[in-house]
Amino acid sequence: MNVAVFIKKTTLHEGFGGLETQNKALCEGLAKRGHKITIFAPKQELNTDSQELNGVSYKFIDCSYRSLGGFGYLDKNNWINRSVEAFKQSYKEEKFDLILGQSSAALGLVMKKNELGVPVVSISHGTTTGEYKTLLQSLSSPKDYIKLIPNTAYFLLNFFNRQREFVLHSDKVIAVSKFVRQALIDETFVDESKVVVIYNGIDEDIARTKKEDGVVRLFYVGLIHRSKGLADLVVAMGQIRDKKVELTIVGDGPHLMGLKEMVSEKKLLDKIHIFGRIPHKESMKLLGESDIFVLPSRRVEGFPMSIVEAMLAQVPVIGSNMGGIPEGIEDGVTGIIYESGNVDQLKNAILKLSEDEELRNVMGKKAFEKAKKEFTLDVMLDKYEKVFNEVIL
C-alpha cells in the first residue's frame, strides 16, 4: 500500500511532541510491514527538501502555515494549497492508495478528495474544545488575558470550520481514545460509525534497573507547561519533604525556567531534579530506574504515550482524571487516578505507593501485562491496516 501522510511538523523539526513521536512510530512500523510511506510536512526551519529515514520518505514543502482567519486558501503559498500541489506532483510519479492526515494537516486534500480520487483517513489526538479549555487553565498574567481575545477568535474558527471540515469530510477518523471519539461526535455531530478508536502503541523494551538505596523515585517526562500540572506535583513534594522520595522531571517547554525557580524557592533542589530535553534513550534509562510515573496533567489529554512507556517499564502510574488518561490507567490495579488539581489526592497517592513496595511491584506487573495486550506497536498497526483496507475497498 502506498500512503501519503500529512503532518504539521515531524520529529526532525524543533519542538516536536507526542503527536510527532506517534506519527514516527506509526510510519516506520508501516514501512517495516512493506508499505511505502511518504510524509509531507511544512519545511519551516529545515534546510532540506527531502530525506529518507528508517524506510520512510520525507518531503518538506516551502509554505506558510497560518490559518489567516479561515481564508488561508486565498494565499497560494499557504499549506492548505501547497500541500495539495505537492501531492499532485508526487502523484504523477507514483500513485497513492491512501492519504493519512494528522489532525487537520490534510485539510486541503480532504476538501479535494473527490477530485483527487484518493480516500482520506484523519487522526484526531484531541478536540478544539479541549485545547481551548487548556488555554483557559493556563491564564496567569494580564498579557495572557489580552491574548485571549484573538485566541478565542481562533478557537471559534477551528470549532466551526477546520475541525468540522476535516472530521466530516474524511472517509474515516481515528480517535486516539474513547474520550476523544465522544468529544468529536459531540462537537461535530459526525456519524458515530465514521469514528473509530485506536490507542497509541509503542514497541520498546525498557530495562528495569532499580537502585537499592531506599529512595523511592518518581518520574515525569513530557512538555513543561503550566497545563501539565507540574506545579501541583512540586507542592505535593513539598508536603512530603521528610520522606525518602525524590522526583525527576525530563522535558522542555515555556515554563521550564519558572518550574526551576519554583523548586528553588520551595527549597526542594535536593528532592526534585529537573533535566531539559535529553535523548530518548537516556530518558528511558531514567524511567527504568524509577518506582512511580506521575502524570499530574490539568489539560484535556488525548492518550499520552508516556503512560504506555511507563507500563512497559513495569512502573505503576499516578495520573489525573483528564481526557484519555483513565483509559490507560486501571485505577487501583495498574496505578492510581486522582482528581485533577487536587494536591491532597495527589500527595496521598504518592504516599500510598511510595510506602508499599509490594503494591508497586504488583501494579507494575499488571500494567506491563495490560500494555502488552492493548498498547503495543503491533496491536496499533494491525488496527490501522484494518481501517486502511476498509476505506480502500
Side-chain angles (χ1 to χ4, degrees), residues 111-122:
M111 301 310 296
K112 292 182 177 292
K113 68 171 186 167
N114 292 332
E115 173 191 332
L116 298 172
V118 181
V120 181
V121 174
S122 292

Side-chain angles (χ1 to χ4, degrees), residues 57-216:
S57 299
Y58 290 81
K59 292 181 181 293
F60 302 112
I61 315 303
D62 271 318
C63 66
S64 62
Y65 200 91
R66 295 173 298 173
S67 64
L68 300 179
F71 295 97
Y73 63 90
L74 296 178
D75 176 9
K76 292 182 178 180
N77 195 48
N78 193 277
W79 169 253
I80 199 167
N81 294 316
R82 295 285 286 120
S83 59
V84 176
E85 291 175 13
F87 177 81
K88 286 181 176 180
Q89 186 61 41
S90 294
Y91 194 79
K92 292 177 182 178
E93 302 170 5
E94 55 179 341
K95 304 297 183 184
F96 289 98
D97 302 300
L98 180 79
I99 295 168
L100 180 65
Q102 288 281 4
S103 296
S104 62
L107 180 59
L109 296 108
V110 169
M111 301 310 296
K112 292 182 177 292
K113 68 171 186 167
N114 292 332
E115 173 191 332
L116 298 172
V118 181
V120 181
V121 174
S122 292
I123 306 171
S124 178
H125 297 259
T127 67
T128 301
T129 298
E131 292 175 1
Y132 189 67
K133 288 179 179 177
T134 295
L135 172 66
L136 294 178
Q137 291 171 350
S138 301
L139 299 175
S140 62
S141 67
K143 187 177 180 180
D144 291 336
Y145 283 93
I146 292 173
K147 288 183 178 180
L148 182 61
I149 297 174
N151 284 333
T152 298
Y154 181 74
F155 156 71
L156 293 172
L157 170 66
N158 278 345
F159 184 84
F160 290 107
N161 188 353
R162 294 179 69 90
Q163 178 173 266
R164 291 192 177 185
E165 293 289 355
F166 91 80
V167 170
L168 294 176
H169 296 289
S170 293
D171 292 280
K172 209 80 170 179
V173 177
I174 294 171
V176 299
S177 67
K178 294 177 182 176
F179 178 88
V180 171
R181 177 180 185 271
Q182 190 57 54
L184 285 175
I185 292 170
D186 292 342
E187 293 179 27
T188 68
F189 307 106
V190 64
D191 189 317
E192 294 186 12
S193 65
K194 182 181 279 192
V195 188
V196 297
V197 175
I198 301 180
Y199 292 114
N200 294 333
I202 61 175
D203 184 18
E204 193 148 17
D205 293 321
I206 304 170
R208 294 289 288 135
T209 53
K210 187 181 181 325
K211 296 181 179 179
E212 301 297 336
D213 56 3
V215 176
V216 175

Side-chain angles (χ1 to χ4, degrees), residues 36 228 370:
K36 192 174 190 319
K228 286 293 187 176
K370 181 179 176 67

Side-chain angles (χ1 to χ4, degrees), residues 306-356:
S306 58
I307 291 179
V308 180
E309 290 172 340
M311 295 170 75
L312 288 173
Q314 300 187 47
V315 176
V317 181
I318 295 173
S320 67
N321 61 345
M322 295 297 287
I325 293 176
E327 294 177 46
I329 305 169
E330 194 171 347
D331 190 28
V333 179
T334 66
I336 297 176
I337 296 291
Y338 75 96
E339 182 184 354
S340 175
N342 191 320
V343 176
D344 283 338
Q345 286 187 15
L346 173 58
K347 175 194 69 177
N348 291 334
I350 293 172
L351 288 174
K352 181 176 181 177
L353 288 183
S354 64
E355 294 173 352
D356 193 335

Side-chain angles (χ1 to χ4, degrees), residues 377-392:
L377 181 62
D378 279 336
V379 170
M380 180 179 75
L381 292 174
D382 287 344
K383 293 181 178 180
Y384 268 85
E385 286 181 323
K386 181 181 178 183
V387 170
F388 293 170
N389 287 325
E390 290 174 353
V391 170
I392 291 174

Side-chain angles (χ1 to χ4, degrees), residues 15 130-140 144 147 151 220-234 249-260 262 274-275 277 295-301 340:
E131 292 175 1
Y132 189 67
K133 288 179 179 177
T134 295
L135 172 66
L136 294 178
Q137 291 171 350
S138 301
L139 299 175
S140 62
D144 291 336
K147 288 183 178 180
N151 284 333
Y220 168 89
V221 60
L223 180 67
I224 309 299
H225 191 279
R226 188 178 292 110
S227 64
K228 286 293 187 176
L230 293 170
D232 296 336
L233 187 52
V234 172
I249 295 174
V250 172
D252 198 2
H255 297 284
L256 179 61
M257 293 307 300
L259 186 66
K260 288 182 176 180
M262 182 181 183
I274 301 177
F275 295 78
R277 184 186 290 274
L295 185 57
S297 188
R298 284 179 172 237
R299 70 191 297 163
V300 180
E301 301 280 357
S340 175

